[in-house]
Amino acid sequence: MENSSTMRILPELLAGDIGGQVILILGQVKVWLVVPFLRIFMYINLAMSLMLFIEKVHMALVVAINKLFGKKPEQRYKWEPFEKDDDVELGSSVYPMVLVQVPMFNERDVYELSIGAACRLSWPSDRIVIQVLDDSTDPTIKGMVQLECQSWASKGINIHYQVRDNRKGYKAGALKEGLKHHYAKECEYVVIFDADFQPEPDFLTQTIPFLHHNPELGLVQARWKFVNANDCLMTRMQEMSLNYHFKVEQESGSITYAFFGFNGTAGVWRMAALDEAGGWKDRTTVEDMDLAVRASLKGCKFLYIDSLMVKNELPSVFKAYRYQQHRWSCGPANLFRKMFFEILTNKKVTWWKKLYVLYSFFFVRKVVAHIVTFTLYCVVIPATVLIPEVVVPRWGTIYIPTIITLLNAVATPRSFYLVVFWIVYENVMSLHRTKATFIGLFETQRVNEWVVTEKHGDASKVKSSTQQSQSRFIISERFFMLELCVGIVLFGCACYDLAYGKYYYYIYIYLQAIAFITMGCGYIGTQVSDT
């Protein structure tokens, strides 16, 4: 009986010893590996946060000083309106030939708006050519676009409907192919409007004189104005981010170095500058930025006009927005990888400009900004809740983030009260931007993925509630597992901090977890049926 009792107790003791050993080993791993790694990772993120902070403060100061003491674009560069010559023989020949390109792909809801706006531009009819580059794969939409072009042609508009046999190079391929036509080669300037853009009639009279009177200018870029910013909370958040991009990033680049990334639309190029830069290339998904960098390396200067706005549409469907942000984040990172040494070894621009392009434009804004937003606020801070041995300094969790947020928010004063929503929303999107940035840097799968952003025009306002409710039951369309998983992890960290923490991180982490889960469940943006 005694031996039997001993045999029963022995496994329990051994089990207890093994459990104690495992706990001891895990404790040692935490002390010698996890804590040092997290501390180093925290310092790296704080360094990136400081870099981003300095960059944003510098840009804000440049714009503020220019607003107070600087000159307007027409004071910095020569600008004189064109005047039709009284000589009958000369007529409108004083106006340069302008090509207007309108690329589109299955744009059922907006093709009439974009074509109509392009055809209504104020410019002598014999000095302008409208070129609709239709890569549509839907025969019905193709037919509608062609009929719209024929309708405008019957009114005396010089409009050409162009199609290709394939979609090689996507938008860049279509634009490149469009420039091969004989009438395009006769034009001195080329204007590009994406399918949802609606320029005002005076767009050309406001922009072309800058290029005509200043040979050093290769590009004039207008600002975007969003017609559907009030559709939902998601479009309001996008408006805040993009207004900052235009009012601060584009403006500061134009003022200090006469360089910024071309936005791919609502801009006018000098045809000679475009050709000298090597034309359109499809090596990345940001063909517009690629062209801008190459043209800048050839010595071209760019001008951004903040007062000139072109109406366009923001993506209001979350899935479409995710695809757009993947392209906008992956493309610049991949272009940075491809052009690093080309920029570094360039002989035509100064070292200061090369440093600006490589460090400020690419590294800080296109790489660091995406990565640190996710890793610091959604990884490091929640991780320190579980590992309290690592303490993030207050300036890294409160002061710098607050200043950066305020600098972004002032670009859209009407949405200032939404700043808390904007913070957590941008942090959720930083997950996809970070992933896309690494895909671009290392050229992994999806590096050249191009999904055309859906545009709905006024269609999103007339869809029935029945169609909306039906779309919600499609699980693959409705739920986003990546956001849900991150949200659940963050929720757990918040609960742990509420129970055991002392820095009140749970207030922020709960908000961030709710944002991830809400967006992961598809409760963001609008639901527009395909029918």
Side-chain angles (χ1 to χ4, degrees):
M1 291 292 293
E2 187 176 346
N3 290 338
S4 176
S5 177
T6 303
M7 292 297 292
R8 287 196 302 270
I9 295 172
L10 186 59
E12 295 178 6
L13 291 173
L14 288 173
D17 290 339
I18 292 173
Q21 289 176 4
V22 170
I23 293 173
L24 183 62
I25 292 171
L26 290 177
Q28 292 298 316
V29 170
K30 177 181 176 181
V31 171
W32 294 103
L33 184 62
V34 178
V35 172
F37 174 80
L38 181 58
R39 186 170 284 118
I40 292 171
F41 192 51
M42 178 194 69
Y43 288 140
I44 292 172
N45 276 270
L46 289 176
M48 290 193 294
S49 182
L50 195 58
M51 292 163 62
L52 183 61
F53 170 75
I54 294 171
E55 178 68 15
K56 286 186 176 289
V57 170
H58 172 258
M59 290 190 295
L61 287 174
V62 168
V63 174
I65 292 171
N66 184 70
K67 292 291 184 184
L68 293 173
F69 309 107
K71 297 180 179 179
K72 296 180 178 179
E74 56 270 22
Q75 295 172 321
R76 285 188 283 138
Y77 294 96
K78 184 180 179 181
W79 188 94
E80 292 179 359
F82 292 102
E83 296 180 3
K84 186 174 288 189
D85 200 299
D86 294 333
D87 191 330
V88 178
E89 293 183 359
L90 291 176
S92 59
S93 62
V94 293
Y95 289 80
M97 283 292 295
V98 177
L99 173 68
V100 180
Q101 292 185 306
V102 185
M104 55 179 57
F105 175 75
N106 292 337
E107 307 291 355
R108 179 188 297 273
D109 297 314
V110 296
Y111 74 92
E112 289 179 289
L113 293 173
S114 58
I115 293 174
C119 291
R120 294 188 188 96
L121 289 169
S122 298
W123 204 254
S125 59
D126 60 332
R127 309 300 292 174
I128 185 173
V129 183
I130 311 297
Q131 186 183 66
V132 177
L133 304 167
D134 191 9
D135 272 359
S136 298
T137 53
D138 187 325
T140 303
I141 297 176
K142 249 183 178 177
M144 292 191 297
V145 175
Q146 187 172 14
L147 283 175
E148 183 69 12
C149 293
Q150 290 173 353
S151 174
W152 282 102
S154 66
K155 299 175 183 177
I157 301 298
N158 188 4
I159 185 170
H160 296 261
Y161 175 74
Q162 308 289 172
V163 295
R164 299 190 292 164
D165 296 331
N166 58 73
R167 291 190 65 217
K168 181 181 178 182
Y170 302 108
K171 179 182 173 182
L175 294 171
K176 185 176 182 179
E177 192 70 23
L179 295 178
K180 293 180 180 179
H181 296 280
H182 66 89
Y183 60 84
K185 296 178 180 179
E186 297 173 358
C187 296
E188 190 174 346
Y189 304 104
V190 56
V191 192
I192 302 161
F193 295 113
D194 281 353
D196 58 314
F197 278 71
Q198 304 162 51
E200 295 296 328
D202 66 346
F203 180 87
L204 296 180
T205 59
Q206 294 295 317
T207 55
I208 298 294
F210 281 111
L211 292 163
H212 188 75
H213 297 297
N214 302 277
E216 71 274 20
L217 285 178
L219 166 68
V220 175
Q221 172 75 58
R223 181 178 143 201
W224 297 1
K225 180 181 179 181
F226 312 107
V227 296
N228 65 330
N230 294 323
D231 272 9
C232 58
L233 185 61
M234 190 179 85
T235 53
R236 290 290 294 273
M237 301 298 99
Q238 291 179 66
E239 181 191 36
M240 291 178 70
S241 299
L242 287 171
N243 277 350
Y244 175 81
H245 167 70
F246 282 102
K247 293 183 178 182
V248 180
E249 292 183 345
Q250 299 285 81
E251 180 80 0
S252 63
S254 177
I255 294 168
T256 53
Y257 293 95
F259 168 78
F260 47 83
F262 175 46
N263 297 115
T265 179
V268 189
W269 277 95
R270 185 187 303 277
M271 196 74 81
L274 194 152
D275 291 338
E276 187 181 4
W280 294 102
K281 293 185 179 181
D282 58 3
R283 55 182 174 174
T284 70
T285 56
V286 284
E287 73 293 326
D288 42 16
M289 187 181 294
D290 187 352
L291 175 61
V293 174
R294 286 185 281 113
S296 180
L297 294 179
K298 293 292 183 179
C300 281
K301 293 184 177 180
F302 303 162
L303 174 63
Y304 165 73
I305 307 176
D306 186 68
S307 60
L308 181 61
M309 294 178 281
V310 180
K311 294 185 291 186
N312 70 294
E313 180 184 335
L314 292 165
S316 59
V317 178
F318 184 50
K319 187 174 182 180
Y321 183 60
R322 287 167 93 237
Y323 279 126
Q324 183 201 68
Q325 292 303 295
H326 172 86
R327 188 173 77 248
W328 285 7
S329 302
C330 179
N334 191 230
L335 183 64
F336 179 47
R337 170 194 172 108
K338 292 180 182 297
M339 295 199 69
F340 181 85
F341 289 106
E342 183 179 344
I343 297 170
L344 197 63
T345 57
N346 183 270
K347 304 294 184 182
K348 289 192 174 182
V349 297
T350 64
W351 274 101
W352 278 113
K353 189 167 186 177
K354 285 191 280 188
L355 180 64
Y356 169 76
V357 174
L358 287 174
Y359 176 76
S360 297
F361 180 77
F362 272 118
F363 185 63
V364 177
R365 299 185 212 169
K366 311 302 180 185
V367 178
V368 167
H370 298 328
I371 294 174
V372 74
T373 304
F374 177 69
T375 55
L376 179 58
Y377 305 118
C378 300
V379 177
V380 172
I381 292 177
T384 59
V385 167
L386 305 176
I387 306 172
E389 292 88 344
V390 179
V391 180
V392 183
R394 183 166 293 184
W395 61 265
T397 58
I398 298 177
Y399 303 139
I400 282 183
T402 300
I403 295 173
I404 289 177
T405 300
L406 292 176
L407 290 176
N408 278 272
V410 293
T412 313
R414 80 183 189 100
S415 298
F416 194 82
Y417 69 99
L418 296 172
V419 68
V420 174
F421 294 98
W422 180 81
I423 292 170
V424 295
Y425 170 83
E426 281 293 295
N427 288 352
V428 174
M429 294 311 302
S430 71
L431 168 63
H432 298 287
R433 293 170 184 149
T434 298
K435 183 176 68 171
T437 299
F438 281 114
I439 289 173
L441 287 174
F442 297 104
E443 288 195 336
T444 58
Q445 291 181 342
R446 293 186 65 195
V447 67
N448 291 316
E449 179 184 78
W450 184 293
V451 178
V452 177
T453 306
E454 299 175 26
K455 298 126 186 155
H456 302 287
D458 294 327
S460 61
K461 299 178 182 178
V462 298
K463 298 296 180 180
S464 69
S465 59
T466 302
Q467 291 174 332
Q468 293 180 20
S469 61
Q470 287 176 350
S471 67
R472 293 182 180 184
F473 289 97
I474 304 175
I475 294 178
S476 61
E477 295 290 327
R478 179 69 177 173
F479 294 101
F480 303 94
M481 296 309 298
L482 191 57
E483 285 90 341
L484 279 173
C485 292
V486 175
I488 291 170
V489 171
L490 289 175
F491 189 81
C493 291
C495 291
Y496 185 89
D497 188 59
L498 178 61
Y500 303 105
K502 58 180 180 179
Y503 294 111
Y504 303 101
Y505 288 158
Y506 65 86
I507 299 173
Y508 158 74
I509 300 176
Y510 269 132
L511 289 173
Q512 193 61 69
I514 293 170
F516 269 99
I517 293 171
T518 301
M519 295 172 76
C521 290
Y523 289 104
I524 187 75
T526 59
Q527 300 290 325
V528 180
S529 173
D530 293 333
T531 57

